[in-house]
Amino acid sequence: MCLSVEECGSRNDSCTAIRHKTNSHAKALAVYDKSSQLIECTSLFQGRCRLRNLHNISDVQIESPEPMIANDAGSSAVVFVGMGPSREPVLYVGTTFVKGPLFRDDIPAVTSLRLSRGDGEAKEFELADKGLATGTEISLERKFRSSYRIDYVGGFESGRYAYFATRQGATIGEDAPIQSRLVRVCTGDAHFYSYTEVPLECIKHDINYNLIQDVYVATAGYNLAKSLGISEGDEVLYGVFVADDMTSFQRNFPTRRSAVCVYPIQKHVEKKFEENIMECYRGKNLKQLPWFKSSDGCKGTHLSWKDVECGQDVNKNIAARWLYDN
């Protein structure tokens, strides 16, 4: 049990809310190798993260000045270190929205944050990049925050992209089926215009293993590479899935039926993202992300993949078609 503040976002003495003992739930961990630091996030003080000395984890070096993750026992938070727009390591964060005091509305669904001080007044845990109206963050549309849930399962960096694996509704509505998705942003995108979601499907013997449980990225050995038609040493994504109980009245209710699906990242994942993004830039389809206020029609352009790989304002934030296991 730890002393926490539930009603306000500050942990300093200026907070006038009543303090009481609250369980501390560990939410996320990551290692920042470059600075020999452990990034540790808990539910205390509305959900904060700390940089600790990796060789003496009792040594808290810096704490995030504001809440940045889910602050309850059951909601998800995923963090990992990857490259940012300035080619410096940043902290990628994906977290379920948790209703609470007004200041919790400022916590993005996906963001990238500084891990070191920059030029001027930039500090740790601030946005990796921020402009007048944009930055390295994306937040749920306000009217859907209480009804549309995104559970973040894992995250990783591959090539020029940062990915999150999620479980979320296929559409808006309480009765919408739950599906697994890959969320991606270009690491060089200072505006998160390149934010894209692709449903991730794992089907075997007519069973849809629709609930992703974990992801892991590794390089393919000789036998796996040969069976997938890729080169030895190419990256592959392993996904662990379970099938939900279609007869249950509960959403997201798992069964004992499980499967592992494998996706070649360069040959399959990156190709599917590129195909779908380019379709949008040719004026086909809708963006289909109403929970991120992006559901209008795609605008046709003559831009090439090189021009749009890291996003453009004209067609920002896109949902794409299915990504199947190989």
Side-chain angles (χ1 to χ4, degrees):
M1 301 284 280
C2 297
L3 192 65
S4 181
V5 178
E6 291 301 302
E7 289 81 10
C8 66
S10 173
R11 64 174 294 168
N12 60 37
D13 292 335
S14 65
C15 178
T16 58
I18 298 174
R19 297 178 181 233
H20 55 86
K21 289 185 177 181
T22 304
N23 287 327
S24 175
H25 301 285
K27 303 301 296 181
L29 292 171
V31 172
Y32 180 25
D33 287 325
K34 182 179 178 181
S35 293
S36 296
Q37 290 174 311
L38 174 70
I39 302 161
E40 165 259 345
C41 307
T42 70
S43 59
L44 287 184
F45 299 100
Q46 295 290 344
R48 295 171 188 261
C49 296
R50 286 153 287 277
L51 292 175
R52 294 178 179 267
N53 184 337
L54 187 59
H55 305 293
N56 177 15
I57 61 174
S58 63
D59 176 16
V60 178
Q61 298 172 333
I62 299 167
E63 182 177 68
S64 60
E66 303 294 337
M68 50 185 279
I69 60 166
N71 67 329
D72 62 7
S75 297
S76 67
V78 169
V79 301
F80 65 94
V81 177
M83 284 294 109
S86 300
R87 300 305 301 163
E88 288 290 328
V90 298
L91 182 67
Y92 286 91
V93 182
T95 188
T96 302
F97 177 79
V98 178
K99 190 176 181 180
L102 284 177
F103 58 79
R104 291 204 60 81
D105 285 352
D106 296 330
I107 299 176
V110 175
T111 186
S112 66
L113 306 172
R114 289 182 174 273
L115 284 172
S116 59
R117 296 193 173 228
D119 297 332
E121 298 180 356
K123 299 178 181 178
E124 296 90 345
F125 294 117
E126 291 184 352
L127 287 180
D129 207 299
K130 188 173 183 179
L132 290 176
T134 66
T136 53
E137 62 179 340
I138 187 168
S139 298
L140 283 171
E141 169 71 352
R142 189 174 298 274
K143 65 182 178 180
F144 295 127
R145 289 178 183 175
S146 297
S147 59
Y148 188 79
R149 181 181 178 91
I150 302 177
D151 289 307
Y152 293 85
V153 174
F156 59 94
E157 180 184 27
S158 178
R160 298 185 63 191
Y161 310 105
Y163 295 86
F164 288 93
T166 69
R167 293 189 303 266
Q168 58 192 91
T171 58
I172 295 295
E174 293 184 0
D175 297 329
I178 301 298
Q179 63 181 199
S180 301
R181 292 196 170 201
L182 268 187
V183 168
R184 191 180 86 169
V185 294
C186 176
T187 57
D189 181 4
H191 312 283
F192 272 25
Y193 291 155
S194 63
Y195 179 97
T196 307
E197 295 182 6
V198 172
L200 190 63
E201 193 166 79
C202 180
I203 296 177
K204 189 71 172 179
H205 302 310
D206 296 326
I207 298 175
N208 182 9
Y209 299 91
N210 62 313
L211 304 180
I212 194 162
Q213 304 297 301
D214 201 1
V215 290
Y216 182 73
V217 175
T219 55
Y222 174 80
N223 290 332
L224 179 61
K226 185 177 180 181
S227 68
L228 295 176
I230 60 178
S231 299
E232 185 177 359
D234 283 358
E235 285 189 324
V236 293
L237 171 65
Y238 294 89
V240 180
F241 297 80
V242 297
D244 69 359
D245 186 352
M246 301 299 292
T247 64
S248 173
F249 66 91
Q250 291 180 283
R251 292 183 358 142
N252 217 0
F253 192 80
T255 65
R256 293 186 177 182
R257 296 175 295 178
S258 61
V260 174
C261 282
V262 182
Y263 310 83
I265 290 182
Q266 289 178 305
K267 177 184 177 182
H268 197 182
V269 176
E270 290 187 5
K271 182 179 179 181
K272 182 59 68 174
F273 270 94
E274 180 178 342
E275 288 175 353
N276 281 279
I277 291 169
M278 287 309 298
E279 278 196 1
C280 182
Y281 277 88
R282 294 188 187 105
K284 302 178 182 179
N285 305 326
L286 300 174
K287 296 178 186 175
Q288 302 182 81
L289 287 180
W291 41 90
F292 287 123
K293 205 173 183 178
S294 182
S295 56
D296 54 325
C298 293
K299 296 179 175 63
T301 73
H302 296 290
L303 297 172
S304 68
W305 173 243
K306 184 179 179 180
D307 296 323
V308 305
E309 182 179 8
C310 279
Q312 294 284 348
D313 188 24
V314 64
N315 281 318
K316 62 183 179 182
N317 310 147
I318 301 167
R321 293 178 300 172
W322 293 98
L323 177 61
Y324 301 92
D325 68 307
N326 197 64

